[in-house]
Amino acid sequence: MPHDDGLCSIGELAERAGVTVKAVRFYSDNGLLPEASRSAGGHRRYGPDALGRLRMLRSLRALGLPVREVRRVLDEEEDGADSVLEDVVAGQLRELGSQLTALRWREAGMRLVLECPPGERADRLRLIGAVTAPPNTAPLARFWRAWLPPRMPARATAAFLEVAVPQPPDDPDPVQVLAFARLNALVTRPCPGAEQPQPEAHKAAGTRGPAVLYAGLAQAYELAGAHMLQGHEPFEGAELDCFVDAYASAHGSRDTPAFRSLLAGQLAADPRIDRYWELVADVITAPGGPQQPTPGTAHDWLFAALAAQTAAAAG
């Protein structure tokens, strides 16, 4: 019970708040729970407001907020505002989300190792051991930056990376974890850029050529992807026209039958990164869901349409 002066001891305060004396002492020593005074014997004394502040402290700490954030909230509360509380809780939710994602990746990785044949476990461990949880996509972005034309504008590069670098799912299954690990291994092997030279058809002339090409291809891939999701076979249409126009515009040419024939031959001879796109499709496709199109598979769909058209025209 409070004394005649309205103050209470550390033990009385702890009992009323339902915490330990050690906790009250910790908060006091860290400046979170100011003392009103000290008794003649040097014992801590707390004022009437201490109980409410201590209960708030306990609640904030129960949410897992670190001491420094609790201090911010309490200081803001004294000023009669709660914007800091909103910011702190929102930040804590983001942090928890990241931790949960990491745990889900680790769980799926463990299932991957547990469920594979014993003879494959060493290889699986090596693959997933090279990937952080949640995984980092920076190696994939570096791979593409080395592969893209050197004159590519920063904005165009960023737009391409947004579609070429898959975002790891928050709740993956073992297949997605294995696909991402293999993707990471693919792009981090020695000199991947040297092994995958820029296709001749992508070496657009002029300073604006690369940006024009990749912007046009992105539009064509999006159009083709919609048909792929519906199970449509490659065909001649607006999607193919957009695809060809991207190359023609980038090279300062016109879309003619002769240009389409030349483009089809170039694309057939150009180096490919099929394995990359196969793994990307596995990463972004939800378990049990339809296979999601990628820029690589959309390119193949459009090229198949172009090859069929030029072959028919030649025949």
Side-chain angles (χ1 to χ4, degrees), residues 43 47 96 176 295:
H43 300 294
L96 286 173
Q176 291 171 305

Side-chain angles (χ1 to χ4, degrees), residues 122-272:
D123 183 60
R124 297 284 173 88
L125 282 170
R126 178 184 57 81
L127 283 171
I128 64 176
V131 178
T132 60
N136 186 354
T137 59
L140 279 64
R142 285 195 296 269
F143 168 80
W144 284 112
R145 288 183 187 279
W147 186 88
L148 289 169
R151 296 188 300 273
M152 189 88 154
R155 181 177 297 181
T157 298
F160 176 82
L161 292 178
E162 188 173 346
V163 297
V165 176
Q167 291 306 305
D170 289 339
D171 190 8
D173 73 346
V175 171
Q176 291 171 305
V177 170
L178 180 59
F180 193 95
R182 284 174 169 165
L183 198 57
N184 181 75
L186 176 68
V187 301
T188 55
R189 67 189 181 187
C191 303
E195 295 176 14
Q196 297 291 351
Q198 180 74 197
E200 286 297 324
H202 286 207
K203 295 179 180 178
T207 56
R208 294 185 63 254
V212 170
L213 173 61
Y214 284 95
L217 289 178
Q219 183 179 1
Y221 295 159
E222 183 176 358
L223 293 172
H227 288 290
M228 295 171 67
L229 283 173
Q230 297 177 39
H232 296 165
E233 294 296 323
F235 65 91
E236 300 174 28
E239 299 76 20
L240 179 58
D241 293 342
C242 182
F243 180 68
V244 174
D245 183 66
Y247 286 100
S249 298
H251 289 275
S253 301
R254 292 173 52 244
D255 180 2
T256 64
F259 179 81
R260 292 198 174 206
S261 179
L262 176 65
L263 178 62
Q266 263 193 334
L267 293 178
D270 272 338
R272 304 175 62 80

